[in-house]
Amino acid sequence: MKNLLLLLLLLAGCSTAFAQSPRFTIRGSIADTNKAVLPSATVMLLTPKDSALVNFGRTNDKGVFEFRNVKRAPYILKVSYVGFLPLQKEVDPGDGDVTDLGTLEIKPIQKELLEVVVKTARAPLSIRGDTIEYNASSFKVPAGSTVEELLKRLPGVQVDQDGNIKAQGEDVKKVTVDGKTFFGTDPKLATKNLPAEAIDKIQIFNDKTEAAKTTGIDDGKREKAVNLALKESHKRGGFGKVTAGAGTKDRFQLRGNYNRFNTKEQMSVLGFGNNINQTGLSWDDYQDFRGSQSFNWEDQGDFGFYSGGMYFFGGDDGMGVPLTGGYSSNRGFSRNYAGGANYNYDTKKTKLSSNYFYNQTGQTLSSTSNKQTFLPEGTFVTISGNSQGSFTRNHRGSARYEQQLDSLNTLVLIGNLRANSGNNAQFSNQNFYRAADTSQTNLDNRNNFNGLQLATTAIFRHKFLKKGRNFAASVAFNLNDSDGTAKQRSTNTFFTDSTGAGPTVVRINQDVTNSSLRTELKSSLHYIEPLTKTMFWETFYNFSLRNDKVDRDVFDLTDQGAVRNRNLSRYYTNDYTYNRVGTVLRYSDKGFNISGGLAGVWYKLAGRFASDQSATTFTNVSRQYFTVAPNFSGNYRLKNKSMGLYYNVNIQQPQTSQLQPGVVDNSNPRFIQEGNPALLPSLTHNLNGSFSSFNPGNFVNYYLSLNYGYNINQIVYNQTIDENLITTSRPENISGGTRVGSYLNFGFPLKKTKATLNLGSSLNFNKNPIYINTVLNDTRSDNYNFRVNLDLTLFDKFTLYPYFNWGITDTRYSINSSQNQKIYNHNYGGAMNIQFPGGIFFNGQMNYQIYKLKNERFPFTQKLPILNLAVYKQFLKDNKAEVRLTAYDVFNKNRGITQQAYQNFVQREEVQTLAQYFMLSVSYNVRGLKSQMRQNNGW
């Protein structure tokens, strides 16, 4: 708290210093040569020395601009307006409080003056409609910085400590390089790997959906996107960076990337290796890293509005619904290696985007956990010590090929391939306590797995001669093939002795083989008919046929050898048939877009199972389900404001593992999981509303969204806990779960180009029902989150990015209100960069984490001040080399802490993880290698 007060006093002092310096006002108006005023012209104030941006704004409806409270000094005034020559004028402050420049006239662009415009129009930023273009060279960053550091300097852009980007208050979903994808859809791969010095311009805009681009019919949907335009010098050769480092405690890191672009082609390679817990994984890589194969393919071939149910390649991520709480991502110790290549080819008629990525991770975990489970008749505590070692390797490749056959027809081919393998060994000692009842379980589980996943899609689009009339068809084939083996060893001791015979000991000594094959054939049709210039009718049809085969064999290891356990073994096969037909009526005109639709959805499940695939008798399972899914979408866009209202019904089919009858997973004998063939699809009614506004004149922005969800036949894992504290979990349908949430972001410059303040808040209220020993428990979780981010660039050689996050989770249990609790999760920190004379730079990052659980029987408080410091020096010609000394976790306080509340239990876990170490690293930048380019711009 003292440090926070000192920081606020420092900021107040800086503000006072600014206020006490001599100031004056600059005003004027902009008109064309015919004396007509020009509203919304971009006006910028620059320093004469280096054209650094001091202030900016736009003219009002009368063409008038004004800069108030400006430091008294000479300036360059720059004016830009679409279709006109840029105007540049020197401003002498004089002695008065106001410098009135009068009416400044700008001339329309003539064809013969185009070359002059190109050479003189490089203003720090320009605004055209909803697109803001920044001149990268006008925003200074230390040499060797990445694009991420450059983005932090831009007005209206925020980058948090995890690298997530917000522009004008909205999340950035896509980052492209010269309009082309870079290693898939993960924005961080571009912002964290490309150097800032390679960037010429940064364009931020609201991108249309792929459907709107291809059909030419605006569906009103937008997502914030960033395009990085490269300098011409970086399109004619190669550029990249190589880093090698060694540290105390045998720590090391290697990282490198190389990029080579031209007007038609892009090629990038990257790789890294380290033992400092940096996996460098995107979301898709993270799914593979876990070995769960739980990912969804975005094949863009499922036409019509979203209602769920079509994506069958999801996974089962857990047996409970997390209600959030204190969480730390620092877990154990890992050794990581990865590498990949990205290649894009883009011409007017042909587009190819492809990439390959490989990663492997070896990880060791040693942890202790304390878990309290709530029952209708009381509670019990589980204290565990765990040790785990794992190794995973993953290959991922993808390609997208688009060919414009002629002016009316387009063909798109998409392919994704994943292959993964690995092994895992887990050792655990678990102790259970409830009053006088105690028991203990020792686990020794080992497994190996292999997986192959394939997803292919072909899309054909046809535009008719009648404007707005479109037809599209798609066909897709998906495959998921996995197999594995497991060794399950455990000793379970129950010390309660009601018979006088002493403790009861139950041992499990089993080998398990498991294979699973899933194939899916999908197809979709889509037709759009324009009724008028503003009214459109759409109809669509989706079909999917999926087949699953699961073969699980469990063998008990006895003195006589391996004996097949028929009760735990299971062969299971099923066929899913999915049909959906729907229609939509859409109105789109002058920024107003409204649509309403209805779809009929029909599922059919035909399955059979037995203890063995060679069995003579099978049990059949046959289910059919029909429902109607409505959809509504309405939004309105006016210049720099937008509002929207959306309603849909999300239908989710049960997972195969949830439906398998009689299949029991006893890998943890104290937590048994069963399937349920009677499950119905779950329905969620979703209602969302949003409002956003961005003023390009003063860069004030705010974004508000509200959401509501109601669950029908929600799939939850009801639990039965017996007298030996063995939990049996079974998926069941239950209705009544709700979700209410809100999100607010408000950002504005305290001082343009110098200080920007962003305020945010999110409120979420959830109700999750679950049965515990046949008693209904309603768990209510209220989450409150507030955050403050301040971006300070007081000088070109000093930046400061402090942040403050406050989070509270209030959890209440209907079956046992005495266990109600509050979890506090607060983060205070920031990043600071200083450039000293002689090319020496200093960087500091601080994150002060506070975890606190307020509960009379289960209190917990943890404070973790994590400080990282670095000093580096650049040398050689053009500063191509850098030597850096880094201190990680200066106070040696890093701990892997997990504090979470679930529907009927609260758990705290502490994992031994990477703490204090020091590292010396050397980097070398490869810039602008000369190459002989052919006439066609190839290599």
Side-chain angles (χ1 to χ4, degrees):
M1 183 59 69
K2 291 181 179 180
N3 294 332
L4 176 60
L5 291 175
L6 289 174
L7 175 60
L8 294 176
L9 289 174
L10 174 62
L11 298 179
C14 293
S15 301
T16 303
F18 282 132
Q20 291 175 349
S21 60
R23 303 277 167 169
F24 76 114
T25 297
I26 301 173
R27 70 165 60 113
S29 61
I30 307 299
D32 63 15
T33 53
N34 294 322
K35 311 299 182 184
V37 299
L38 297 176
S40 299
T42 303
V43 186
M44 288 156 287
L45 208 59
L46 314 175
T47 59
K49 181 180 178 181
D50 53 7
S51 296
L53 183 65
V54 177
N55 210 331
F56 58 90
R58 302 182 85 180
T59 56
N60 61 19
D61 293 339
K62 297 181 180 180
V64 175
F65 67 89
E66 186 176 72
F67 296 117
R68 296 181 180 179
N69 199 31
V70 178
K71 184 179 179 180
R72 192 177 297 276
Y75 294 101
I76 294 176
L77 184 80
K78 198 158 194 173
V79 181
S80 64
Y81 196 81
V82 177
F84 287 78
L85 280 169
L87 174 70
Q88 187 166 299
K89 180 179 177 61
E90 295 181 359
V91 178
D92 188 349
D95 298 326
D97 294 334
V98 177
T99 297
D100 194 334
L101 302 179
T103 301
L104 305 176
E105 296 183 359
I106 59 177
K107 299 177 181 179
I109 296 177
Q110 304 296 329
K111 186 175 181 180
E112 59 272 14
L113 297 177
L114 184 59
E115 184 178 350
V116 178
V117 174
V118 172
K119 291 182 179 180
T120 61
R122 297 307 306 272
L125 63 87
S126 60
I127 303 169
R128 298 180 179 88
D130 63 358
T131 299
I132 300 179
E133 184 176 280
Y134 301 88
N135 177 16
S137 62
S138 298
F139 301 91
K140 308 299 182 182
V141 293
S145 296
T146 63
V147 170
E148 184 175 275
E149 289 298 321
L150 177 60
L151 290 174
K152 292 180 179 180
R153 295 289 185 97
L154 305 183
V157 179
Q158 302 88 46
V159 182
D160 66 16
Q161 60 269 28
D162 296 321
N164 301 308
I165 309 166
K166 285 184 182 293
Q168 302 157 23
E170 300 181 47
D171 292 329
V172 171
K173 301 294 186 180
K174 181 171 65 175
V175 173
T176 57
V177 179
D178 280 344
K180 303 174 184 66
T181 59
F182 187 83
F183 276 96
T185 58
D186 186 4
K188 297 179 186 178
L189 282 177
T191 59
K192 289 182 176 294
N193 285 285
L194 291 178
E197 65 176 0
I199 307 304
D200 181 38
K201 293 178 293 187
I202 300 173
Q203 297 152 336
I204 298 177
F205 57 99
N206 294 317
D207 197 19
K208 293 183 179 180
T209 62
E210 288 297 322
K213 293 177 183 178
T214 53
T215 63
I217 299 174
D218 189 359
D219 57 11
K221 299 177 182 178
R222 299 290 189 275
E223 63 179 13
K224 196 65 68 177
V226 172
N227 181 56
L228 306 173
L230 294 172
K231 294 177 181 178
E232 289 299 322
S233 60
H234 285 72
K235 296 178 182 179
R236 301 193 189 100
F239 62 95
K241 185 177 182 178
V242 178
T243 299
T248 58
K249 302 179 182 178
D250 296 323
R251 300 299 160 198
F252 75 92
Q253 68 165 337
L254 298 169
R255 178 178 291 272
N257 66 77
Y258 180 75
N259 309 274
R260 190 164 177 165
F261 300 154
N262 62 37
T263 56
K264 289 185 180 180
E265 296 173 288
Q266 292 183 347
M267 184 191 73
S268 300
V269 294
L270 62 85
F272 65 82
N274 65 74
N275 62 353
I276 55 175
N277 285 13
Q278 292 182 0
T279 62
L281 301 179
S282 65
W283 172 252
D284 287 336
D285 299 317
Y286 174 63
Q287 298 292 339
D288 290 341
F289 168 71
R290 295 189 306 166
S292 66
Q293 306 167 359
S294 57
F295 55 85
N296 291 327
W297 302 100
E298 297 182 2
D299 57 16
Q300 305 174 7
D302 297 326
F303 304 129
F305 57 75
Y306 178 71
S307 62
M310 194 64 173
Y311 296 96
F312 285 132
F313 275 64
D316 306 283
D317 287 341
M319 310 311 294
V321 180
L323 303 175
T324 75
Y327 177 73
S328 170
S329 60
N330 298 317
R331 296 180 60 82
F333 303 87
S334 65
R335 181 182 292 260
N336 313 282
Y337 298 94
N342 183 83
Y343 176 76
N344 295 324
Y345 177 81
D346 193 346
T347 64
K348 187 175 182 180
K349 293 186 177 182
T350 304
K351 296 180 180 180
L352 172 66
S353 176
S354 62
N355 65 76
Y356 166 79
F357 194 80
Y358 169 82
N359 71 280
Q360 69 174 51
T361 294
Q363 186 180 47
T364 59
L365 290 174
S366 180
S367 66
T368 59
S369 65
N370 194 321
K371 173 183 174 183
Q372 187 171 25
T373 304
F374 312 127
L375 306 176
E377 64 276 7
T379 64
F380 71 91
V381 175
T382 307
I383 298 177
S384 304
N386 305 282
S387 179
Q388 182 176 339
S390 64
F391 177 80
T392 58
R393 61 174 65 88
N394 308 282
H395 300 266
R396 185 189 77 190
S398 65
R400 186 182 190 276
Y401 175 78
E402 180 176 334
Q403 179 68 52
Q404 185 177 337
L405 304 176
D406 52 42
S407 60
L408 299 178
N409 299 290
T410 302
L411 178 65
V412 178
L413 302 176
I414 302 171
N416 294 276
L417 179 67
R418 312 271 178 92
N420 52 13
S421 62
N423 56 73
N424 181 75
Q426 180 183 12
F427 310 94
S428 177
N429 174 266
Q430 305 170 11
N431 294 276
F432 301 81
Y433 304 94
R434 182 175 64 176
D437 298 333
T438 61
S439 57
Q440 183 183 81
T441 292
N442 291 298
L443 288 176
D444 180 356
N445 290 341
R446 305 163 190 262
N447 65 72
N448 295 272
F449 66 88
N450 294 276
L452 175 68
Q453 304 91 40
L454 171 70
T456 59
T457 303
I459 304 172
F460 173 75
R461 301 184 187 275
H462 174 72
K463 292 183 179 181
F464 293 86
L465 294 178
K466 183 178 179 180
K467 185 178 181 181
R469 180 181 292 173
N470 290 269
F471 170 77
S474 73
V475 61
F477 175 75
N478 298 332
L479 178 143
N480 192 334
D481 187 7
S482 63
D483 61 78
T485 61
K487 297 181 181 297
Q488 299 178 170
R489 312 287 188 263
S490 66
T491 301
N492 307 275
T493 306
F494 303 93
F495 296 101
T496 303
D497 184 10
S498 58
T499 63
T504 301
V505 179
V506 178
R507 290 184 173 87
I508 292 178
N509 188 9
Q510 296 174 335
D511 284 350
V512 181
T513 62
N514 190 84
S515 64
S516 174
L517 176 64
R518 175 180 301 172
T519 59
E520 182 181 24
L521 179 65
K522 298 195 302 179
S523 183
S524 293
L525 301 174
H526 189 219
Y527 178 77
I528 302 176
E529 177 65 29
L531 304 178
T532 67
K533 290 184 178 180
T534 59
M535 189 79 69
F536 303 88
W537 171 66
E538 303 178 31
T539 186
F540 56 88
Y541 171 70
N542 309 119
F543 168 80
S544 171
L545 177 61
R546 189 186 97 188
N547 175 262
D548 292 335
K549 292 182 180 179
V550 177
D551 189 6
R552 174 182 170 88
D553 294 308
V554 180
F555 298 91
D556 293 320
L557 303 183
T558 67
D559 294 338
Q560 290 74 35
V563 179
R564 194 169 186 274
N565 189 317
R566 297 180 58 85
N567 293 325
L568 296 179
S569 300
R570 186 70 65 211
Y571 174 77
Y572 185 90
T573 179
N574 62 49
D575 293 306
Y576 282 108
T577 304
Y578 170 91
N579 288 274
R580 185 180 75 144
V581 61
T583 186
V584 177
L585 191 63
R586 181 183 304 280
Y587 173 84
S588 180
D589 185 44
K590 297 179 181 179
F592 185 69
N593 194 294
I594 185 170
S595 67
L598 202 64
V601 183
W602 177 66
Y603 296 93
K604 181 181 179 181
L605 167 64
R608 62 180 193 147
F609 66 92
S611 61
D612 189 275
Q613 56 184 324
S614 61
T616 57
T617 303
F618 280 79
T619 301
N620 295 317
V621 178
S622 181
R623 305 292 298 274
Q624 294 192 49
Y625 183 80
F626 177 81
T627 189
V628 175
N631 183 279
F632 173 82
S633 174
N635 54 71
Y636 180 63
R637 292 183 176 275
L638 179 64
K639 290 186 178 180
N640 298 295
K641 292 183 175 65
S642 68
M643 61 185 68
L645 182 65
Y646 312 94
Y647 166 76
N648 76 296
V649 175
N650 186 7
I651 307 168
Q652 291 296 332
Q653 188 79 350
Q655 301 292 331
T656 301
S657 60
Q658 296 171 328
L659 290 167
Q660 293 179 19
V663 175
V664 175
D665 181 0
N666 67 333
S667 56
N668 183 346
R670 304 304 295 262
F671 194 88
I672 307 297
Q673 303 176 35
E674 296 181 346
N676 179 10
L679 285 177
L680 296 173
S682 64
L683 281 75
T684 303
H685 294 266
N686 298 298
L687 181 64
N688 300 277
S690 64
F691 178 79
S692 65
S693 175
F694 172 69
N695 187 330
N698 55 24
F699 274 64
V700 174
N701 65 84
Y702 49 90
Y703 180 84
L704 172 66
S705 67
L706 304 171
N707 66 83
Y708 171 78
Y710 180 79
N711 298 312
I712 298 176
N713 290 330
Q714 179 184 5
I715 298 175
V716 302
Y717 286 84
N718 294 333
Q719 297 181 6
T720 302
I721 302 172
D722 63 17
E723 65 277 5
N724 291 321
L725 305 183
I726 296 176
T727 300
T728 301
S729 178
R730 176 182 169 90
E732 304 277 357
N733 291 114
I734 190 170
S735 299
T738 59
R739 178 197 75 249
V740 179
S742 67
Y743 172 81
L744 173 66
N745 187 87
F746 177 52
F748 57 94
L750 298 174
K751 182 177 177 58
K752 286 184 178 179
T753 74
K754 297 294 184 182
T756 301
L757 182 66
N758 286 278
L759 308 175
S761 172
S762 60
L763 308 176
N764 294 281
F765 308 97
N766 302 284
K767 184 182 79 168
N768 293 287
I770 187 175
Y771 280 95
I772 307 296
N773 286 353
T774 70
V775 177
L776 180 64
N777 172 46
D778 278 329
T779 302
R780 297 178 181 269
S781 177
D782 300 339
N783 303 297
Y784 309 88
N785 183 267
F786 306 93
R787 59 192 174 278
V788 178
N789 293 76
L790 187 61
D791 297 346
L792 294 174
T793 308
L794 303 179
F795 317 101
D796 285 342
K797 298 182 180 181
F798 175 80
T799 59
L800 181 64
Y801 306 104
Y803 61 85
F804 312 90
N805 295 326
W806 299 271
I808 302 174
T809 299
D810 185 4
T811 306
R812 302 180 301 281
Y813 303 96
S814 64
I815 63 170
N816 198 334
S817 59
S818 64
Q819 300 302 326
N820 295 346
Q821 59 202 277
K822 290 183 179 180
I823 295 177
Y824 297 86
N825 180 11
H826 306 325
N827 284 273
Y828 310 109
M832 180 173 61
N833 299 284
I834 304 175
Q835 180 179 351
F836 294 100
I840 299 176
F841 299 85
F842 171 81
N843 171 266
Q845 296 180 346
M846 177 70 181
N847 184 19
Y848 185 55
Q849 307 167 12
I850 300 175
Y851 305 116
K852 182 178 180 181
L853 172 64
K854 187 176 181 181
N855 179 283
E856 293 182 359
R857 302 184 183 182
F858 206 61
F860 171 73
T861 300
Q862 180 75 49
K863 299 179 179 180
L864 303 176
I866 309 300
L867 176 64
N868 299 328
L869 301 175
V871 60
Y872 58 100
K873 162 75 175 175
Q874 295 175 338
F875 58 99
L876 297 184
K877 184 181 179 180
D878 298 327
N879 290 327
K880 287 186 176 182
E882 171 191 293
V883 59
R884 179 186 295 253
L885 178 63
T886 307
Y888 290 90
D889 187 18
V890 174
F891 302 131
N892 199 25
K893 294 291 186 178
N894 195 21
R895 302 292 183 272
I897 303 294
T898 301
Q899 179 73 41
Q900 290 182 303
Y902 287 80
Q903 287 177 306
N904 71 314
F905 66 88
V906 59
Q907 177 175 283
R908 180 177 75 249
E909 182 186 38
E910 298 187 25
V911 181
Q912 295 181 17
T913 192
L914 190 63
Q916 183 190 79
Y917 68 94
F918 301 88
M919 178 168 287
L920 182 67
S921 61
V922 177
S923 300
Y924 182 79
N925 285 279
V926 181
R927 301 189 187 122
L929 294 179
K930 303 298 182 181
S931 61
Q932 298 296 325
M933 309 296 289
R934 297 195 298 267
Q935 291 293 327
N936 63 355
N937 289 318
W939 279 291

